[in-house]
Amino acid sequence: MHELSFGTWLIHISSVIEWIFAILVINKISTYKKYNLFFWLSLAMVPNLIGAMCAITWHIYDNQENLYGLVSLQGIFTFIGNSTLALAAIKIFIREKETYE
């Protein structure tokens, strides 16, 4: 694990922990009837978490060439995650807009 500095590792790990905590908090908020669509938002966050885990795993193994596929997986999951987050946000926006009309 010598490829990254201690500070970079600290940021990587704390970001993943933060993301997991955010998923759990948003999922808890979704249990309230008014915010039930937030469940989809918490679910939409999971692909980004998987992408982050791919990146961290690759770094843990010192960026070995035979694990380079993890970089591609990270990119794919980031794209999927960003897309699902956008869709969930749009759905929440549309529902809120309908509520106030």
Side-chain angles (χ1 to χ4, degrees):
M1 295 189 339
H2 64 278
E3 292 290 327
L4 302 178
S5 68
F6 175 75
T8 304
W9 273 114
L10 188 63
I11 290 168
H12 273 51
I13 301 300
S14 64
S15 295
V16 169
I17 292 168
E18 237 180 314
W19 198 254
I20 292 168
F21 185 71
I23 291 171
L24 295 174
V25 168
I26 292 170
N27 190 39
K28 179 66 176 171
I29 290 169
S30 75
T31 61
Y32 296 100
K33 186 177 180 183
K34 181 179 176 184
Y35 301 107
N36 62 348
L37 279 180
F38 279 47
F39 168 76
W40 297 108
L41 182 63
S42 67
L43 193 61
M45 294 173 75
V46 173
N48 284 86
L49 178 62
I50 294 169
M53 296 301 222
C54 289
I56 286 177
T57 302
W58 191 56
H59 289 314
I60 285 173
Y61 290 100
D62 291 329
N63 306 338
Q64 292 180 13
E65 286 293 322
N66 58 343
L67 294 177
Y68 193 75
L70 288 172
V71 176
S72 298
L73 275 177
Q74 187 242 345
I76 291 167
F77 278 111
T78 299
F79 174 76
I80 292 168
N82 291 346
S83 300
T84 57
L85 280 168
L87 291 172
I90 290 167
K91 180 66 177 166
I92 291 169
F93 175 77
I94 290 171
R95 181 169 170 209
E96 286 299 311
K97 187 177 176 188
E98 289 171 354
T99 302
Y100 291 110
E101 288 181 348

